[in-house]
Amino acid sequence: MCIIKEYLQSFKDITIKLIYNVKEDDLDAVDSLMEERQKIIDNIDHMEFSKEEFVDIAKELNIIEYDKELEKVINEKKANIKEEMRKLSTNRNANVNYNKKFYSNSTIFSKKI
């Protein structure tokens, strides 16, 4: 039981770091922390323990709340990025359409007549 608690404490600490790094847009750190987090999950999967032990420790460490907060922060960042991409696409389309109209209406004259 003590080992599972250590793993879950590490999981919680990494989740807190992830929340901070996602908010700060430190994507390199997020990538490495996600790998660490996955290793902890893999280690926990290979351990033998009862479901009750796991749930009790997870509640004690508030892991579910931190995980929900991480999910919320990631979804907010994802929504912000989608909005930025939409704005960029709209601006690009406006520029392309403006340039098409400008060049299609202009007549180019040759100096040799």
Side-chain angles (χ1 to χ4, degrees), residues 10-54:
S10 297
F11 185 86
K12 175 185 170 184
D13 295 340
I14 291 172
T15 303
I16 292 170
K17 290 176 188 176
L18 273 169
I19 292 168
Y20 175 77
N21 287 323
V22 168
K23 287 180 180 178
E24 296 297 315
D25 289 329
D26 188 0
L27 300 180
D28 293 330
V30 168
D31 191 38
S32 65
L33 288 170
M34 289 298 272
E35 288 176 11
E36 285 182 50
R37 196 170 185 242
Q38 186 59 46
K39 287 178 186 176
I40 291 173
I41 292 171
D42 293 340
N43 289 336
I44 290 173
D45 282 343
H46 295 297
M47 296 177 64
E48 291 193 22
F49 52 87
S50 69
K51 184 177 179 179
E52 292 80 23
E53 283 179 306
F54 183 84

Side-chain angles (χ1 to χ4, degrees), residues 1-13:
M1 177 149 163
C2 187
I3 295 173
I4 187 79
K5 189 169 186 171
E6 289 174 17
Y7 277 128
L8 289 175
Q9 182 63 46
S10 297
F11 185 86
K12 175 185 170 184
D13 295 340

Side-chain angles (χ1 to χ4, degrees), residues 64-89:
I64 295 171
E65 287 81 14
Y66 285 112
D67 203 42
K68 286 180 182 178
E69 185 178 347
L70 176 62
E71 184 179 355
K72 183 181 112 187
V73 169
I74 288 173
N75 286 336
E76 286 173 359
K77 284 292 182 180
K78 191 166 78 169
N80 290 341
I81 290 171
K82 280 184 180 181
E83 181 63 24
E84 287 178 29
M85 288 174 60
R86 188 192 63 74
K87 286 179 183 178
L88 288 173
S89 177

